[in-house]
Amino acid sequence: QVQLVESGGGLVHEGGSLNLSCTMSGAIHTIDGWNWYRQSPGKQRELLATFAKTGLSRLSDSVKERFAVARSAAQNAVFLQMTNLKPEDTGDYLCNAVDVGRPSPYWGQGTHVTVSG
């Protein structure tokens, strides 16, 4: 089992920055990759970033100019670094961890971001 806890959300003005963390515990060695998602009001859950344990990462076209992903093995955490935030970035940000040997990923509870215009 793996447990995930997201943190770092909050209220920020348009144009501001936030760094979200997804801290993991448990059987981390079984994890093959991580994803960050955003759930905005009235919208479908959106995949923002993918980070494989090989170090390869990918950001969605909608955020790649403003967001970045990073991982710290020492901290057992993955990060979503967000800059130039816009009101449409408001939503719940969730991370998951994928073990290819399992039918479904592990999920955290999410952290909320509000961007005021």
Side-chain angles (χ1 to χ4, degrees):
Q1 292 290 320
V2 173
Q3 295 76 42
L4 306 174
V5 178
E6 298 96 331
S7 61
L11 173 64
V12 63
H13 293 298
E14 185 173 8
S17 300
L18 283 173
N19 292 323
L20 306 184
S21 301
C22 177
T23 304
M24 299 166 281
S25 60
I28 300 169
H29 64 279
T30 66
I31 300 305
D32 300 292
W34 300 266
N35 300 293
W36 278 101
Y37 287 82
R38 177 171 62 208
Q39 180 71 67
S40 298
K43 296 183 180 180
Q44 287 190 329
R45 183 172 292 179
E46 179 184 7
L47 175 62
L48 301 177
T50 296
F51 195 104
K53 69 177 181 181
T54 59
L56 293 176
S57 64
R58 182 180 182 278
L59 291 156
S60 71
D61 289 343
S62 64
V63 300
K64 65 181 180 181
E65 299 296 327
R66 301 182 292 122
F67 292 7
V69 289
R71 178 193 173 199
S72 169
Q75 295 176 273
N76 291 330
V78 293
F79 307 98
L80 184 65
Q81 300 157 333
M82 308 187 295
T83 63
N84 191 21
L85 285 162
K86 305 174 181 181
E88 52 263 42
D89 293 318
T90 293
D92 292 319
Y93 285 72
L94 304 101
C95 71
N96 74 16
V98 177
D99 174 351
V100 295
R102 288 176 55 89
S104 59
Y106 300 99
W107 286 91
Q109 84 292 343
T111 187
H112 187 74
V113 171
T114 300
V115 184
S116 61

